[in-house]
Amino acid sequence: MVEINHATKVVVLTGAGISAESGIKTFRAADGLWENHAIEDVATPHAWKKNPELVWNFYQGRRNQLTEVEPNPAHKSLVTLEEFLGDNFLLVTQNVDDLHSRAGSNNLIHMHGELRILRCEQCHETFDMMQQEHLTADYVACPNCANQRLRPHIVWFHEMPFQLPEIYAAVEECDIFMTVGTSGHVYPAAGLIDVAKQAGALCVGVNLDEPMNYGMHDEFHQGKAGELLPNLVDEWVS
Ligand code: APR
């Protein structure tokens, strides 16, 4: 049974499932992104070197989709939770869409990067680039240096997720760890629940199917995040 007050420390880990009801495909569903694209062709540093055009077009398609989707009630309910908990709340997302921030989440870490952002591999600057000219471009040149080809600011397979020290520090300290819409296939994200559990946190899950790490959850709510999460959060904060 979850009981929270303003001093309760909560970390929420979200995955593709929370954006599914907004119309963004998950990765591992039958019609998911990884059924239609080989990971090694579009989501590795090697692919970017070997066939940048294919990789660029794949991410340009996903960047363009951001202009057609909106946050859903699940994204919004996490804003309600953050408003209640303030700095005791941290949202860690594996999603590269911008729906959490557009919903209004602030204490937010994009551990797998962000579609909105492009990065220069030469001067290491990042740029938020969602203007039409960038969304339709074959490649985007770095505004800062001579590099003609910015890369997506995405953590590809074989690369290190962002802000791991901050994530682990928060998970080790939290009272409640919650997973939403993630299948538990991809590490280190999938292993955060082990860290939380060892630290004594109550682990709560909301997911359409049982995730790989289902057994680590103390409380599991099976169904759609957009339907279940707003009710859960309302119960917690009332
Ligand atoms: N509500 C809740 N859960 C849902 C919903 C929904 N409406 N729709 C789908 N799901 C669940 C699915 O049952 C599945 O368990 O969301 C999960 C999505 O799993 P994945 O497609 O594996 O996505 P995710 O866990 O985010 O993948 C992790 O893998 O390829 C990488 O970098 C990519 O960040 C991604 C990582």
Side-chain angles (χ1 to χ4, degrees):
M1 174 68 190
V2 174
E3 281 181 30
I4 71 169
N5 58 48
H6 294 288
T8 310
K9 292 191 163 102
V10 177
V11 175
V12 179
L13 172 72
T14 63
I18 198 169
S19 295
E21 288 157 82
S22 294
I24 298 182
K25 278 187 176 177
T26 63
F27 294 95
R28 295 176 178 81
D31 64 341
L33 272 183
W34 295 155
E35 285 302 314
N36 298 314
H37 301 270
I39 287 174
E40 57 275 17
D41 288 346
V42 292
T44 64
H46 179 69
W48 177 237
K49 252 196 194 136
K50 203 176 102 197
N51 195 345
E53 197 179 340
L54 184 68
V55 175
W56 178 256
N57 288 337
F58 175 69
Y59 286 99
Q60 281 296 72
R62 295 179 64 196
R63 277 152 60 75
N64 271 279
Q65 199 197 7
L66 294 185
T67 63
E68 296 157 10
V69 294
E70 295 293 336
N72 67 53
H75 298 104
K76 290 177 190 163
S77 65
L78 293 178
V79 180
T80 307
L81 190 55
E82 180 174 349
E83 283 165 354
F84 182 81
L85 295 168
D87 285 342
N88 289 321
F89 174 87
L90 178 66
L91 174 53
V92 178
T93 188
Q94 299 165 84
N95 298 344
V96 294
D97 66 52
D98 57 359
L99 295 179
H100 282 306
S101 47
R102 276 164 56 198
S105 290
N106 288 313
N107 291 343
L108 167 65
I109 293 178
H110 278 273
M111 69 182 292
H112 289 168
E114 291 178 70
L115 284 168
R116 298 184 60 93
I117 297 179
L118 300 177
R119 177 167 94 237
C120 181
E121 288 175 296
Q122 285 173 26
C123 72
H124 306 294
E125 280 288 323
T126 54
F127 307 92
D128 191 322
M129 287 180 149
M130 285 295 287
Q131 288 85 350
Q132 196 56 30
E133 67 197 276
H134 305 132
L135 290 173
T136 48
D138 288 341
Y139 291 114
V140 178
C142 180
N144 232 14
C145 74
N147 182 7
Q148 292 303 300
R149 199 182 280 174
L150 294 176
R151 64 163 272 181
H153 188 51
I154 299 289
V155 176
W156 286 323
F157 286 86
H158 313 304
E159 294 184 319
M160 190 65 89
F162 299 135
Q163 293 178 264
L164 280 181
E166 282 158 85
I167 294 172
Y168 281 116
V171 172
E172 279 162 11
E173 279 212 335
C174 73
D175 303 301
I176 296 173
F177 180 79
M178 190 179 200
T179 64
V180 183
T182 178
S183 64
H185 273 89
V186 171
Y187 284 79
L192 292 176
I193 194 166
D194 303 76
V195 177
K197 191 101 191 165
Q198 283 217 336
L202 182 81
C203 299
V204 181
V206 175
N207 211 60
L208 196 56
D209 311 296
E210 286 186 7
M212 298 286 282
N213 52 16
Y214 169 76
M216 296 299 289
H217 294 84
D218 299 298
E219 186 178 312
F220 187 76
H221 302 265
Q222 187 159 4
K224 290 186 174 179
E227 293 169 5
L228 297 180
L229 199 54
N231 292 335
L232 267 184
V233 169
D234 280 352
E235 279 172 27
W236 291 3
V237 304
S238 62

